[in-house]
Amino acid sequence: MTEKEYGNFELRLEYKMPLKGNSGVGIRSPLKGDPAYVGMEIQLIDDVNWGKLEKWQHTGSIYNVVPAKTIKNKEIGEWNSIKIVAKGRQITIEQNGAFLRAGCPGVSWRAP
């Protein structure tokens, strides 16, 4: 999380997922509270080894809101790349060059 607020932005990052790892990228969230519930969290998880997951819990999903259309994780321990673009209400997510998700129907937020 950052102390500065952003309206539209593009975030690119690389990460390695450990075996049974579970993480996420918090966006459009206040500094206090769990981003997955008080804002938006883009889910990052070991989709293969974690166990039973709901559709909205897979990598690239807007956690508990909108599921990713596909999963494009690399093997455990390899570097993955993710690009998150937020433009107004539109959230676009790409992982390892593949389109995972666009839009965020039903979610309300106010840009700073």
Side-chain angles (χ1 to χ4, degrees), residues 25-91:
V25 178
I27 63 171
R28 305 280 195 233
S29 179
L31 292 176
K32 293 184 180 180
D34 186 334
Y37 301 102
V38 298
M40 288 187 222
E41 177 183 320
I42 310 307
Q43 176 74 328
L44 304 175
I45 195 166
D46 176 358
D47 295 278
V48 174
N49 300 296
W50 182 263
K52 183 172 175 5
L53 294 170
E54 298 293 331
K55 290 180 182 180
W56 49 264
Q57 290 178 303
H58 287 281
T59 295
S61 297
I62 301 172
Y63 187 82
N64 201 26
V65 179
V66 182
K69 292 185 177 192
T70 188
I71 300 167
K72 292 295 181 180
N73 293 326
K74 292 187 178 179
E75 295 293 321
I76 295 297
E78 291 186 30
W79 285 103
N80 290 272
S81 63
I82 194 162
K83 179 172 94 169
I84 303 165
V85 178
K87 187 174 182 182
R89 289 179 52 104
Q90 183 79 12
I91 308 295

